[in-house]
Amino acid sequence: MAKNSYKICLLPGDGIGPEIIVEAVKVLDTIGGLYDTDFFYTEALLGGIAIDATGTALPAETLEIAKGSDAVLLAAVGGPKWDTTDPTKPRPEQGLLGIRKELGLYANLRPVKIFGALKDSSSLKSENVEGVDMVIVRELTGGLYFGKRDRMYDVPGAGIDGAAGMRAYDTLEYSEYEIERIVRHAFEAARGRRRKVHSVDKANVLESSRLWREIAHRVAADYPDVEIIDQLVDNTAMQLVRWPAQFDVIVTENMFGDILSDEASMLTGSLGMLASASLGDGTALYEPSHGSAPDIASLGIANPIAQILSVELMLRYSFGMDEAADALAKAVEDVLDEGWRTKDIADASTLPQKTVGTTAMGDLIVEKLKA
Ligand code: NAD
C-alpha cells in the first residue's frame, strides 16, 4: 500500500509561537515514523511578523500556501509591538480573522478535558471538576462579529444630557444553512462521544436564537441516538461552574461560544493545555487556545502542550489517524502523571527537578510516544 502523505502549512506567528510550533513538528515527525506517514511542511507568515515583512497581517502568499495544504497548524499572533487603536494601521488579529474567513472555517471545536494529574490546578475545587470532558462547538463566521455595524456621529439626543452624540450598533444575523451545518457538526461529534448535545441560545429574547432552536431540533431529528438539551446561555454560564461534568457537546453561536469557551478553559487551570480545531468544507486549521504570551517569549519556558494537542486534533479530524491521535493524547497524559510540568502548570507539590522548559516537555512527549 502507498505511504500516506500530507502537506501541512505552518504558521508560527509571534511571541512564543515559533518556540512551541517546533515542538509540535517534532511530535508530528515522530508520529510519521511510527505510523508510516510522511508530513511535508511549508512555513508561512501570519500576524505581526507578516506585517513587518509585507505590511499586511495575511499576505496573499500565505493564503495560497494554506489553501494548497491538507491542514494548517497555527501557533499564535500578536504582541505589544503591533498594538494600535488606529483603524488605518494593520493589526495581527486581522490575519487570524482573515484566514478563518478565507478558508471558510465556520466551526470551532474546543475540547475541554481535565487531566487527572492537574485537577488541583483548576480554579474550581477538584471535586467539582472530576470527570470534565466536553467539546464546545462554536459557530465562527457569522453572528455579531460579522454582522452589519456602524458608528454614527452627531445623533440628536444620543449625547449626555440630551445633546447630540455618538451611537453605534452591531447586528446578530444567522441564516438557516449556517445554523444547520454547525449543529450537524455537533451531533456528529456527539456520536463519537457520550451522545449528548446542549444547544445553547437566548431564545427567550432573541429572534436569531428562536431560529437557532427550531433548526437545531430539525437536525436533531436525524440523530435519534443523540439527546438534545436546549439551554439558555446565562444558565450555561452558571452550569459550567456549578457542575461542568454534565456537558458532553455544547453547540452555540459565535459570541456566546467565544465567552463560554474562555470560561470553560479556566476549568482546566491553564490556557497552555487547550487546543482547538477550526473546520469548514476545505483545509482545516489547528491552534492552541492561548495567545502569543509576549511576556514569556524567548525565555524557553512556554508550555507546548496546547500546540501539541492541536496536532492530536489534526490527526483526528483532517487525517483520520485516530489511533495515532489516541497514542498522542495518552503520551501527554502519561508525562503529566509522572509529575513533569512546565512553569505555568507547576504547583507547590511539583519537584524542582521535574519543572521543565519548552524543549524538554516536547522531548518527554516524543519519548513516551516511542516507548
Ligand atoms: P495570552 O494567552 O497570550 O497570555 C495570557 C497569559 O497566559 C500570559 O501570562 C501568558 O504568559 C500565559 N500563557 C499563554 N500561553 C501560555 C503557554 N503556552 N505557556 C505558558 N504560559 C502561557 O493572552 P494575552 O496576554 O491577552 O495576549 C497576548 C497577545 O496574544 C496579544 O497580542 C493578543 O492579541 C494575542 N492573542 C492571540 C491569540 C491567537 O493568536 N489566537 C489569542 C489570544 C490573544
Side-chain angles (χ1 to χ4, degrees), residues 16 20 74-80 83 92-93 96 100 270-273 287-296 301-306 342 344:
I16 60 169
I20 55 175
L74 166 68
V77 299
D83 280 348
E93 311 80 77
L96 206 57
R100 286 177 183 159
S270 170
L271 267 175
M273 300 296 298
E287 60 181 316
S289 302
H290 58 72
S292 59
D295 53 332
I296 58 165
I301 58 170
N303 184 351
I305 295 182
T342 43
D344 58 309

Side-chain angles (χ1 to χ4, degrees), residues 93-294:
E93 311 80 77
Q94 289 167 337
L96 206 57
L97 292 177
I99 198 164
R100 286 177 183 159
K101 189 84 186 165
E102 291 289 338
L103 293 177
L105 304 174
Y106 58 79
N108 182 251
L109 274 67
R110 205 190 272 199
V112 178
K113 189 176 165 209
I114 299 290
F115 289 88
L118 295 183
K119 62 182 191 315
D120 292 327
S121 327
S122 171
S123 42
L124 297 188
K125 285 193 227 123
S126 61
E127 62 264 31
N128 290 345
V129 292
E130 199 78 55
V132 167
D133 181 0
M134 71 180 95
V135 176
I136 300 184
V137 180
R138 165 188 167 194
E139 202 289 328
L140 208 55
T141 53
L144 268 181
Y145 296 179
F146 291 92
K148 196 167 166 242
R149 74 198 55 189
D150 201 6
R151 190 195 292 206
M152 293 150 292
Y153 298 86
D154 295 323
V155 179
I160 314 295
D161 294 333
M166 289 182 282
R167 192 187 193 90
Y169 68 88
D170 299 274
T171 44
L172 203 180
E173 259 187 287
Y174 270 107
S175 299
E176 216 176 315
Y177 80 92
E178 292 175 293
I179 304 172
E180 157 96 25
R181 65 187 182 181
I182 187 82
V183 172
R184 213 165 270 288
H185 259 294
F187 275 86
E188 288 294 328
R191 275 206 165 146
R193 299 174 48 89
R194 302 195 307 279
R195 295 173 187 262
K196 195 158 86 169
V197 172
H198 279 81
S199 172
V200 172
D201 60 39
K202 189 70 184 167
N204 54 341
V205 180
L206 302 175
E207 190 53 37
S208 54
S209 280
R210 285 191 277 272
L211 179 65
W212 181 282
R213 198 173 275 210
E214 194 180 316
I215 308 292
H217 280 266
R218 196 171 75 194
V219 173
D222 292 340
Y223 298 83
D225 52 323
V226 179
E227 183 187 1
I228 177 169
I229 299 147
D230 298 306
Q231 199 167 68
L232 295 175
V233 62
D234 38 347
N235 187 17
T236 309
M238 187 175 78
Q239 296 296 336
L240 274 173
V241 287
R242 193 184 76 89
W243 178 32
Q246 70 184 283
F247 295 108
D248 179 22
V249 176
I250 291 176
V251 63
T252 191
E253 64 94 37
N254 202 345
M255 185 178 68
F256 296 162
D258 189 5
I259 298 169
L260 293 177
S261 56
D262 268 20
E263 183 190 356
S265 74
M266 286 328 291
L267 300 172
T268 67
S270 170
L271 267 175
M273 300 296 298
L274 291 171
S276 81
S278 299
L279 315 174
D281 298 321
T283 308
L285 182 146
Y286 301 85
E287 60 181 316
S289 302
H290 58 72
S292 59

